[in-house]
Structure formats: C-alpha cells, structure tokens
Amino acid sequence: MEELYRMVADPSRVKLSGIEEKYVSDHLGRLRGTCDALVFPIRSEEVSAVLKWAYDRSIPVTPRGAGTNLVGSTVPERGGIVLDLSRMNRILELDEQTLTVTVEPGVVLADLQAYVEERGLFYPPDPGEKQATIGGNISTNAGGMRAVKYGVTRDYVRGLTAVLPNGEVIRTGGKVVKDSSGLSLKHLLIGSEGTLGVITECVLKLIPKPTFVLGALVPFADLKTGIDAVIRLIHEKASPTAIEFMERKVVALGEQYMGTFFPFPDAAAYILLSFDGNSDSEVRAHADNARQSVLQSGALDFLPLDDPAVLDQVWKVRGSLVKAVEAVSEQEPVDIVVPIDKTAEFIAYANEVERETGVQLISFGHAGDGNVHLCVVRGERDTEAWQRDLKEVMSRIYGKSQELGGLTSGEHGIGLTKKPYFAKATDPVVLAAMRSVKASLDDRNILNAGKIF
Ligand SMILES: Cc1cc2nc3c(=O)[nH]c(=O)nc-3n(C[C@H](O)[C@H](O)[C@H](O)COP(=O)(O)OP(=O)(O)OC[C@H]3O[C@@H](n4cnc5c(N)ncnc54)[C@H](O)[C@@H]3O)c2cc1C
C-alpha cells in the first residue's frame, strides 16, 4: 500500500493508519467495513493511477462522496482502498450558451445550487441531504423533492468523464442536448453506485431560475384522504414543483428536533406543496387550481405559505425528518416506489402491518411520484426481537410493493442493505444481465464489489 504515496501529488492525501470510522461506513453507521488505505485524489489522473494499480493486483476499491447514503453502499466490505472524491470539488466551467455547468464530482449539492442560483440559473434536482456530493447524487440517481415537476438527477446529466476499473478514462455524452450515438455508457454509470467506474467530471444541464416560488401547506384529517387528493391534483392544471406527504406523528418528531412548529397542528397528515414559475400570475393561478382541487378532495384547509420565514420553517422540518426519527430510535429506512395511483393502497397496507406486528412504521415522502419513505422503528426491542420483527415487516412490505408493480428503491439505491429485497423482486434474467455488464467492465470485480447484485 505504500506505493500509493507515489500516485498522488501530495502524500498527505494517502492514509494507511488512523483512518476514521466514518470512512468505512455510511450515514447510518450501523454497518462497518475495513480498509487498508484511504486516498483523497484531486485529479482524474490520480484516480486512474490508483485504479490501474489496484486492478493489476485485484485490490478492492470503494468510491465515496460525502458518505450520506442510507444503504451501506460506501461500506468497504472487502477491505482494500477507500477512494474519497470529496476533495475533487472545483466548479470548472459555467457555460451560459449551452446552459451547462461542468463540475468535479466532490462538489457539494448545496454549493452548486447556490453558485448557479446567484447567476440566475437553476439546477433542479433537490434531494433532502444538501451536503451530498454531485458524484454521489449521480451514482445513486438521487431524486428528491422537485422530481414531480423536474425529474431526477439522471435528467440533468449531459456528460460524464469516468475512470474504468482498469484505470482507463472514458468520456461519454457531452454538452449536447441529444445523443443517439451508440450505447449510453453515461446512463449505465448513473445509478450504478460506484460499481462500474469512478466519475471524475460531470457536465450538468441547467435551466433559467424560476423567479416566483409559492408554498402551501394542506392539512387533512387522515393520510388516505390526503394521498387520494394528490392523485386528483396531479391531473389538474396546477403543475406543482413538489408534493410531499407527512403523517402528523413524524411532523411532531421533526418539530421537536428543529424546535419549530407547523401551522394547523390538529391534522393527522399534511401535504406540502410548492409551485414555481416565471410570473407571479402564473404561479398564483397554479396554486389557486391546486387549492380548489384539494378542498374538493376533503382537505381541512389550504394555507398559503406567503411569509418566507414560515415557508423556510416548514421546509426545514420536512428536511429534518430522517434525522428526527433517528434521534429517538434506530430505524431502518425504506424507499419503495410504487405507481402513483397505488401510493394510498401501499400506505394503507403499511398501516395494517403496523397494527398487526406492533412495529411502528412512520411514513412520509414524495407523494407526487409514489416514492414512499418508511422508517421502520426499532423502539425498545432487543437485538433478537428487532431482527425477527424487522424481517417480517420487510418481507411483507416489499412483497406488497412487488404485487403493486413497485420497485425496491426509488432513489436511495440498493447498496448492501436492500440487496436481499432487490434480488427477490428482480427477474433472474435481468439480474444476470446486470451482472454480465458488471463483469465486462470490471472482470476482476474490484470496484465496489458485493453491492447491488
Ligand atoms: C437526511 C438525509 C436525507 C436524504 N434525502 C434524500 C433524498 O431526498 N433523495 C435521495 O435520492 N437521497 C437522499 N438521501 C440519500 C443520500 O444523500 C444520497 O444517496 C446521495 O446521493 C449520496 O451522495 P454522497 O455524496 O453522500 O455519496 P456517498 O454516500 O458517498 O456514496 C453513494 C454511492 O455513490 C458512489 N459514489 C460516490 N461518489 C462517486 C463517484 N465520484 N464515482 C463513482 N461512484 C461514486 C459510492 O460508491 C456509493 O455507492 C438522504 C440522506 C440523508 C442522510
């Protein structure tokens, strides 16, 4: 491993001992791997040199961004090298002619959003964790709050530079809008959780920044009425940017965690809406259509969040929910996605499982795209009871999502923790095809081996 010192310009960017625990885990910190070396490259050539060296020796390499994933995808199960891309964090070029920005993979999402917005431009993908890196977002095809209107990370990647497991560098896509030029290696890399290549440069699509934004909070007496209202709302001319649903019990945890409160506390569930556009009248017309639609669907009220401070408070509570649940108990996060018209049925089933097993299931998520985040809460259970109950709950809810035509993960990825459910829910022929793509790009199985498939 000492040879790694030769591959980076500054040897202090290689660590062979005293490696902090966080580098062998994910955000949840429950699974731990081991590693023999931690390397912080700052140039594509350094990544290439490290990978070539590791490939020649069949040494495992685990790429890492900010480590905010929730599925164990940065856990170096097989030892070897952890390749931390967070110091490759330069914004290389803003091209206002092609509306693209070229960045290194370690750029933090919040920094990119602030950079482009200061210049009147907009990068729409908006996953909850703003300290994640763009490389991590691309490798997990992160979704987030604005997917209902703008799509997910995949829709904003124009081009990628990546280092293949054997150290070769490829460029795929570019600043172009269209691309029918052979197989899209770019789309293979997106969402591949660091198993096919290490992304070292990203060309991202931008749009002009919407100038008007409006939020609204819609309380409901029960979650089912709320979810049914969403289905109706997406057929109206309301064009919401975000439709987030939350049960009161999780909002209460968020309020406690953030020390701030939602208006209309006497509701069982809420839908949080936002609208954006380029004129005040357009945005207000959309909000008005939404108001009429949800009130007809049984909403208790429609509260426009005109005060920016209240709007900010409400979104902060929404953004804190994963951390708020974790603050009171260990939880297993689930990010099943079902067809949007099956969301209510899926949540009703989750509530049934909660009643029958006594395991608390807290649900919130992106109602506009059927992406349900369930927190399966451990509570006071000892290890044996937790393992037993968790297994039963997981097997039932993943079974139900499959029956409804859903998929294992809408945005977090498979990593290690969702592997058994993914394997069970996926056609063996599809799994075999995925494995053969992996084997053809990584015949020595060094890159994030053991993840996904
Ligand atoms: C509070 C909270 C809220 C969240 N909300 C959302 C949400 O709304 N939507 C959502 O989609 N996710 C969400 N996440 C999950 C997480 O933030 C995302 O998965 C994010 O995309 C991970 O980025 P990262 O930089 O932390 O990557 P990491 O966790 O470091 O890595 C994730 C995966 O990407 C690979 N990887 C990282 N960088 C590279 C690279 N340069 N080249 C190749 N592979 C690489 C890693 O090997 C790993 O497989 C949330 C997480 C938390 C803690």
Side-chain angles (χ1 to χ4, degrees):
M1 288 287 169
E2 277 75 15
E3 288 181 50
L4 289 169
Y5 289 122
R6 283 192 293 103
M7 284 165 226
V8 294
D10 173 1
S12 74
R13 290 192 275 105
V14 174
K15 279 187 148 269
L16 301 185
S17 61
I19 295 169
E20 277 177 69
E21 287 280 303
K22 68 173 185 180
Y23 291 105
V24 293
S25 195
D26 62 0
H27 170 80
L28 295 174
R30 288 200 282 279
L31 296 176
R32 296 253 157 89
T34 56
C35 75
D36 307 298
L38 169 64
V39 183
F40 296 95
I42 57 164
R43 296 285 175 268
S44 201
E45 300 79 58
E46 293 179 346
V47 174
S48 170
V50 171
L51 280 180
K52 182 170 183 346
W53 183 83
Y55 178 82
D56 289 344
R57 291 158 185 77
S58 296
I59 293 173
V61 177
T62 307
R64 181 186 171 89
T68 68
N69 74 89
L70 301 164
V71 294
S73 59
T74 44
V75 175
E77 268 201 313
R78 304 182 184 187
I81 301 166
V82 170
L83 201 57
D84 183 306
L85 284 308
S86 62
R87 296 193 195 174
M88 288 185 74
N89 58 2
R90 293 177 304 165
I91 294 178
L92 300 172
E93 186 199 3
L94 177 67
D95 183 342
E96 300 200 30
Q97 299 302 313
T98 60
L99 283 179
T100 57
V101 64
T102 303
V103 302
E104 291 183 325
V107 168
V108 165
L109 174 65
D111 296 343
L112 175 71
Q113 288 177 333
Y115 175 86
V116 298
E117 285 178 38
E118 274 161 24
R119 289 156 180 82
L121 296 168
F122 195 54
Y123 177 67
D126 194 33
E129 177 56 73
K130 314 295 182 236
Q131 293 306 311
T133 64
I134 294 300
N137 281 175
I138 294 174
S139 303
T140 55
N141 187 24
M145 324 285 182
R146 300 181 189 133
V148 60
K149 177 166 179 181
Y150 289 111
V152 296
T153 301
R154 183 183 297 282
D155 303 310
Y156 292 85
V157 180
R158 285 268 167 89
L160 290 177
T161 301
V163 184
L164 297 179
N166 64 5
E168 281 174 350
V169 180
I170 58 162
R171 285 181 213 301
T172 159
K175 288 184 179 176
V176 291
V177 175
K178 291 178 166 180
D179 177 359
S180 299
S181 313
L183 298 185
S184 176
L185 297 180
K186 174 185 85 175
H187 281 295
L188 259 187
L189 286 163
I190 299 167
S192 68
E193 299 184 50
T195 58
L196 302 181
V198 176
I199 295 162
T200 56
E201 203 175 291
C202 328
V203 184
L204 306 171
K205 168 185 159 179
L206 303 173
I207 62 171
K209 185 181 172 196
T211 31
F212 293 90
V213 179
L214 201 69
L217 188 68
V218 186
F220 289 91
D222 61 275
L223 184 64
K224 183 175 178 332
T225 311
I227 297 289
D228 288 344
V230 169
I231 306 300
R232 256 166 261 140
L233 174 64
I234 40 193
H235 292 99
E236 300 292 335
K237 290 194 179 98
S239 189
T241 315
I243 314 178
E244 297 289 306
F245 75 92
M246 292 154 278
E247 292 183 277
R248 177 69 222 167
K249 56 189 175 186
V250 68
V251 169
L253 293 177
E255 289 173 332
Q256 205 179 322
Y257 186 76
M258 295 302 294
T260 173
F261 296 94
F262 261 35
F264 212 109
D266 297 328
Y270 303 88
I271 302 290
L272 177 55
L273 297 171
S274 76
F275 307 88
D276 66 10
N278 290 319
S279 78
D280 190 26
S281 57
E282 173 202 347
V283 173
R284 287 198 184 277
H286 282 153
D288 203 44
N289 289 344
R291 189 179 64 78
Q292 288 177 30
S293 170
V294 294
L295 290 175
Q296 275 166 15
S297 301
L300 298 174
D301 205 341
F302 181 91
L303 308 166
L305 301 172
D306 284 327
D307 178 346
V310 179
L311 179 67
D312 186 54
Q313 255 177 24
V314 168
W315 274 105
K316 276 199 173 126
V317 171
R318 164 61 189 96
S320 76
L321 297 184
V322 173
K323 288 175 183 161
V325 175
E326 277 165 26
V328 291
S329 167
E330 182 181 328
Q331 57 101 12
E332 185 59 37
V334 171
D335 101 293
I336 281 169
V337 59
V338 293
I340 47 170
D341 62 333
K342 299 289 188 290
T343 316
E345 189 178 342
F346 179 73
I347 293 173
Y349 181 76
N351 288 338
E352 202 179 303
V353 172
E354 179 177 62
R355 272 194 308 277
E356 286 170 14
T357 61
V359 178
Q360 192 183 14
L361 296 177
I362 294 180
S363 64
F364 57 95
H366 314 304
D369 48 37
N371 191 191
V372 182
H373 291 319
L374 283 178
C375 296
V376 186
V377 180
R378 174 171 179 167
E380 301 302 317
R381 287 173 178 76
D382 62 24
T383 308
E384 195 185 325
W386 174 229
Q387 292 306 336
R388 184 197 58 226
D389 292 351
L390 183 63
K391 197 169 164 202
E392 183 187 345
V393 168
M394 294 301 230
S395 127
R396 290 183 62 179
I397 56 179
Y398 279 102
K400 185 68 179 180
S401 92
Q402 199 181 348
E403 182 193 314
L404 295 177
L407 295 175
T408 314
S409 168
E411 55 183 21
H412 293 166
I414 303 300
L416 283 177
T417 55
K418 304 296 179 264
K419 252 173 83 171
Y421 317 113
F422 180 60
K424 205 166 167 202
T426 309
D427 179 346
V429 182
V430 172
L431 273 179
M434 288 188 185
R435 289 195 185 109
S436 76
V437 170
K438 164 73 175 165
S440 71
L441 289 174
D442 186 8
D443 59 332
R444 300 198 177 165
N445 198 21
I446 64 158
L447 204 54
N448 220 359
K451 310 290 159 48
I452 311 181
F453 13 69

